[in-house]
Amino acid sequence: GSYNNSRSGYSNSYNGNRSGSSSYNSRSSYGQQNELPPEITPKKVPEDYVDEAERIMRSLMSQPKKVTTSKIRNLLSLVTDIYNEENIRTEEKLRPESVVKLNLMRVRVAYECGRDNRDDTVKTFVRQTNLLEYLKGISDDRADLIRFAHYMEALVAFHCYFSSKEG
């Protein structure tokens, strides 16, 4: 029965294994495009997403260049539309329209990152908050979407909280 203890360490070992593939890293130097980020791995928003949001925002707001409130609100508004439709339903699966909108949101987030070539604040925000991974992890699960929306709200809330302390 001592195996049960190692369950929490499971996700760590999973992340560690990915770096084990560096043996054929020489392949990536082929061509000019070796700066591409790795493929987006679907992830679930963690149970303690409020703590996570606070931690991430605290660290982001300590950077010299901070993501603007309007940028985050733009991203939040994308999920709010879907959330408002889905929050009143009881089915476990998202409506097909919502899945389409979620995919569009992923495109939009990626686009915002690409447009952000001046100071990388959006890119850093998206990377630190795992937005693309979490969006991809929702697939068609309504509970996942609702948790993701709450996570985004928490990010906006802590962004407000930490920026108001600047004054």
Side-chain angles (χ1 to χ4, degrees):
S2 68
Y3 267 104
N4 294 349
N5 301 342
S6 63
R7 205 184 70 83
S8 61
Y10 173 71
S11 58
N12 297 344
S13 64
Y14 168 69
N15 289 341
N17 287 349
R18 292 220 331 270
S19 61
S21 62
S22 61
S23 51
Y24 61 96
N25 224 358
S26 51
R27 201 177 56 106
S28 68
S29 55
Y30 176 76
Q32 302 310 119
Q33 285 299 324
N34 49 2
E35 282 302 292
L36 282 180
E39 188 184 337
I40 296 160
T41 327
K43 289 183 182 160
K44 298 289 184 197
V45 175
E47 294 276 336
D48 62 344
Y49 63 86
V50 176
D51 296 335
E52 173 110 324
E54 181 182 357
R55 199 171 44 74
I56 291 168
M57 263 309 158
R58 183 185 296 275
S59 118
L60 281 173
M61 297 306 278
S62 65
Q63 308 294 314
K65 292 179 172 158
K66 302 168 180 50
V67 66
T68 62
T69 310
S70 61
K71 282 280 192 208
I72 302 188
R73 283 193 190 283
N74 284 348
L75 296 176
L76 175 65
S77 69
L78 296 174
V79 76
T80 306
D81 287 349
I82 314 171
Y83 173 78
N84 289 340
E85 292 286 326
E86 291 290 346
N87 195 29
I88 47 180
R89 297 174 64 246
T90 51
E91 287 80 350
E92 284 190 9
K93 296 292 174 205
L94 293 170
R95 302 179 323 156
E97 309 90 286
S98 297
V99 174
V100 170
K101 283 182 181 170
L102 269 177
N103 285 328
L104 288 174
M105 179 172 177
R106 252 170 72 200
V107 171
R108 181 66 195 281
V109 170
Y111 174 70
E112 288 291 337
C113 287
R115 245 182 29 168
D116 175 42
N117 48 12
R118 251 178 340 114
D119 53 11
D120 275 4
T121 49
V122 175
K123 207 173 288 174
T124 307
F125 171 75
V126 169
R127 196 172 293 141
Q128 299 264 319
T129 53
N130 288 320
L131 284 196
L132 288 170
E133 289 83 355
Y134 291 158
L135 274 169
K136 198 171 184 177
I138 294 169
S139 67
D140 62 353
D141 187 307
R142 200 177 69 89
D144 280 352
L145 167 84
I146 287 173
R147 181 181 289 180
F148 175 78
H150 289 160
Y151 171 65
M152 288 285 295
E153 279 177 354
L155 287 169
V156 170
F158 284 115
H159 183 272
C160 274
Y161 175 71
F162 289 129
S163 5
S164 67
K165 299 195 110 46
E166 302 270 290

